[in-house]
Amino acid sequence: MTQSYQKLEAIEVAFDDENLVANAGLLLVSTLASKLGLADVIADKVDLTGRVGGANPASKSLTLIHAMVAGASHIDHVDMLRSGASSKLLPFRVAAPSTLGTYLRSFTFGHVRQLDEVIEAELTKAWSFGMAPGDDPLIIDIDSTICEVSGYNKQGAAYGYTKKLGYHPILAVRSDTGEVLHCRMRKGSANTQRGTKRFVQELIPRCRRAGANGKITIRFDSGYQSEATLKELERLGISYTMAVHANAKGIKSLVEAIDSDSWTPIDYTENGEAQVAETTYKGRRLIIRRTHLIGDQAELFPNPTFGESSRISV
């Protein structure tokens, strides 16, 4: 640490001891990557021949992966892997931030599809070590997130329903392990359900090829309500549960027509109670849950009626 007695702002802190290792937990990540043969898979499947900065995709990709695991959110943060003796312990050559910037700009959408092949190959290998669901049921949650960015020159960044500048990627996550099975980048202004049908068409065969032989169930929230997506799931023989808007056209009248004796109580939170009933909507099974608060909180709602939420399932 360099000190200045003139002003506090001039104090500079530097991690420069060659015998120290920052983010030593990355040894676990690099060990797993080595066991999965990640470097070899990237070198085999990612071909950026003729693209400026496209050489040595394995070491550059591994640098990015390890930096992100360590918490990097900007490309300059990659330097954390080059501090002290950290780079000497990693089984790849750590690339500089400027080199990685050129590398990332060398990608086209076709090259991104090559990374899809890398993901599937690694998923298959990881599952072959005993993580595959095999004949057991596999439950997958599909949802999207908002990745906020800074600056106005980010390709595809836009303002969406959150009023924040960023991207709106869609992800598929295995419910019991938290594994990300598939992902697709979308621009920030993309509608929630955009590309879901195609996303499912890619996700299901990937899981089957990787070792999911049993029943697959996919869960969606109401933002993905789409007749095209439902028909595709039915064509693929996939079970699903999808939330729908209780006040949507046709559904509200179905709920109102349910006989009072058809509602069945279910377990709910200690500060509320819930009931469910079943009917059909467009030939599909429709389950309605209605809830309301009880106890002290109930005073906020003098009319103790139930609020409904609906979910299509097959």
Side-chain angles (χ1 to χ4, degrees), residues 204-284:
I204 300 306
R206 167 179 291 180
C207 292
R208 292 300 190 197
R209 290 190 295 265
N213 305 317
K215 178 181 178 181
I216 296 178
T217 301
I218 300 182
R219 303 187 295 199
F220 304 85
D221 65 25
S222 59
Y224 296 91
Q225 185 178 347
S226 164
E227 185 68 18
T229 299
L230 294 178
K231 287 183 177 179
E232 185 61 23
L233 289 166
E234 291 161 0
R235 184 188 72 81
L236 293 170
I238 301 302
S239 298
Y240 59 82
T241 172
M242 177 181 289
V244 295
H245 297 291
N247 59 354
K249 183 179 180 181
I251 292 182
K252 187 174 182 179
S253 58
L254 284 173
V255 175
E256 293 172 345
I258 296 175
D259 187 86
S260 58
D261 296 333
S262 298
W263 293 96
T264 302
I266 61 171
D267 290 336
Y268 198 54
T269 66
E270 61 181 19
N271 293 320
E273 57 184 34
Q275 300 172 341
V276 294
E278 182 179 331
T279 184
T280 58
Y281 175 64
K282 294 184 177 181
R284 300 184 178 97

Side-chain angles (χ1 to χ4, degrees), residues 36-288:
L36 294 175
L38 180 55
D40 292 336
V41 173
I42 294 174
D44 177 58
K45 297 188 177 295
V46 178
D47 183 2
L48 293 165
T49 303
R51 305 288 296 178
V52 176
N56 304 316
S59 62
K60 294 172 184 176
S61 296
L62 287 171
T63 299
L64 288 166
I65 292 169
H66 283 69
M68 287 190 289
V69 170
S73 59
H74 297 78
I75 198 164
D76 286 340
H77 291 173
V78 170
D79 271 336
M80 70 173 72
L81 302 182
R82 307 169 77 197
S83 60
S86 298
S87 61
K88 299 177 181 178
L89 299 180
L90 296 174
F92 56 89
R93 183 177 179 181
V94 177
S98 58
T99 300
L100 294 173
T102 305
Y103 173 62
L104 291 173
R105 285 190 291 273
S106 71
F107 277 82
T108 65
F109 183 71
H111 296 111
V112 172
R113 301 294 282 181
Q114 294 176 359
L115 292 176
D116 274 338
E117 294 185 34
V118 173
I119 292 173
E120 180 172 332
E122 290 299 287
L123 177 67
T124 302
K125 184 170 290 188
W127 280 11
S128 71
F129 292 159
M131 293 297 294
D135 295 331
D136 294 333
L138 172 63
I139 299 176
I140 302 172
D141 294 305
I142 289 184
D143 207 345
S144 56
T145 186
I146 300 296
C147 297
E148 189 174 4
V149 299
S150 302
Y152 295 96
N153 294 319
K154 301 287 187 180
Q155 184 178 6
Y159 290 95
Y161 68 93
T162 63
K163 310 301 181 185
K164 297 183 182 298
L165 179 66
Y167 302 108
H168 192 190
I170 182 173
L171 303 98
V173 179
R174 181 174 169 179
S175 65
D176 59 337
T177 64
E179 297 168 79
V180 176
L181 304 177
H182 191 27
C183 60
R184 179 67 65 232
M185 180 64 82
R186 303 180 301 183
K187 64 181 183 179
S189 58
N191 184 275
T192 299
Q193 62 179 254
R194 179 178 178 178
T196 305
K197 176 183 175 181
R198 177 62 178 168
F199 188 77
V200 168
Q201 289 174 337
E202 296 172 349
L203 168 67
I204 300 306
R206 167 179 291 180
C207 292
R208 292 300 190 197
R209 290 190 295 265
N213 305 317
K215 178 181 178 181
I216 296 178
T217 301
I218 300 182
R219 303 187 295 199
F220 304 85
D221 65 25
S222 59
Y224 296 91
Q225 185 178 347
S226 164
E227 185 68 18
T229 299
L230 294 178
K231 287 183 177 179
E232 185 61 23
L233 289 166
E234 291 161 0
R235 184 188 72 81
L236 293 170
I238 301 302
S239 298
Y240 59 82
T241 172
M242 177 181 289
V244 295
H245 297 291
N247 59 354
K249 183 179 180 181
I251 292 182
K252 187 174 182 179
S253 58
L254 284 173
V255 175
E256 293 172 345
I258 296 175
D259 187 86
S260 58
D261 296 333
S262 298
W263 293 96
T264 302
I266 61 171
D267 290 336
Y268 198 54
T269 66
E270 61 181 19
N271 293 320
E273 57 184 34
Q275 300 172 341
V276 294
E278 182 179 331
T279 184
T280 58
Y281 175 64
K282 294 184 177 181
R284 300 184 178 97
R285 183 186 183 196
L286 178 66
I287 300 173
I288 303 95

